Amino acid sequence: MNFFAFLFLSIALSINMIAQTNSDVPSISVDEFINLIENNKDIVILDVRTPAELAGPLGRIETALNIPIQELPDRINELKPYKDKKIYVICRTQNRSYASSQFLNKNGFKTVYVIGGMTEYHNKLNSAKK
């Protein structure tokens, strides 16, 4: 990768992380999320990964709804039954869940994105089993 492309990518990622840190989009840590799932079976979870990712090594959360981020604008009506509830949004790392949460919040939903996403969720669950 050429130096300028690398520099641009680094700056873009840094800006994205700063924007997420200073965001008005609520977030939750993976530890808090795991605790919430264990103690509340009625929470609404939206996984915005692709079907291929759901079948991959990180697995899926059984109760999660799946609407890939690229389909979210066209399928937003599927979430109307949950408009009065908090929706916990998760993806692989957190970038798509953050963007999805922004989009949904602008459309009248109440969302919380999971920091670290399924990668951290999967790691925490596997380390707890050891």
Side-chain angles (χ1 to χ4, degrees), residues 6-75:
F6 176 76
L7 181 63
F8 176 77
L9 181 61
S10 297
I11 291 170
L13 288 173
S14 296
I15 290 170
N16 186 35
M17 286 192 292
I18 291 168
Q20 288 180 24
T21 302
N22 296 324
S23 168
D24 60 347
V25 178
S27 63
I28 188 171
S29 72
V30 167
D31 290 327
E32 292 170 309
F33 182 63
I34 290 170
N35 188 45
L36 188 64
I37 291 172
E38 289 172 355
N39 295 310
N40 185 349
K41 302 298 179 198
D42 295 330
I43 69 167
V44 179
I45 303 167
L46 174 64
D47 192 325
V48 295
R49 296 177 298 151
T50 65
E53 287 176 292
L54 292 178
L58 296 178
R60 66 173 297 162
I61 299 169
E62 285 299 317
T63 59
L65 305 166
N66 175 238
I67 302 176
I69 189 172
Q70 60 271 26
E71 297 174 16
L72 197 53
D74 294 331
R75 295 178 58 190

Side-chain angles (χ1 to χ4, degrees), residues 101-109:
S101 290
Q102 278 187 315
F103 171 76
L104 289 169
N105 288 350
K106 287 178 184 171
N107 284 278
F109 291 89

Side-chain angles (χ1 to χ4, degrees), residues 69-84:
I69 189 172
Q70 60 271 26
E71 297 174 16
L72 197 53
D74 294 331
R75 295 178 58 190
I76 194 169
N77 287 338
E78 293 176 35
L79 297 173
K80 277 190 178 178
Y82 312 106
K83 201 146 189 178
D84 63 338

Side-chain angles (χ1 to χ4, degrees), residues 27-40 43 61 88 90 94 112-128:
S27 63
I28 188 171
S29 72
V30 167
D31 290 327
E32 292 170 309
F33 182 63
I34 290 170
N35 188 45
L36 188 64
I37 291 172
E38 289 172 355
N39 295 310
N40 185 349
I43 69 167
I61 299 169
Y88 293 85
I90 195 163
Q94 79 186 30
V112 177
Y113 75 96
V114 181
I115 298 172
M118 284 299 291
T119 301
E120 192 169 328
Y121 178 82
H122 177 77
N123 291 341
K124 293 271 182 174
L125 289 183
N126 285 337
S127 67

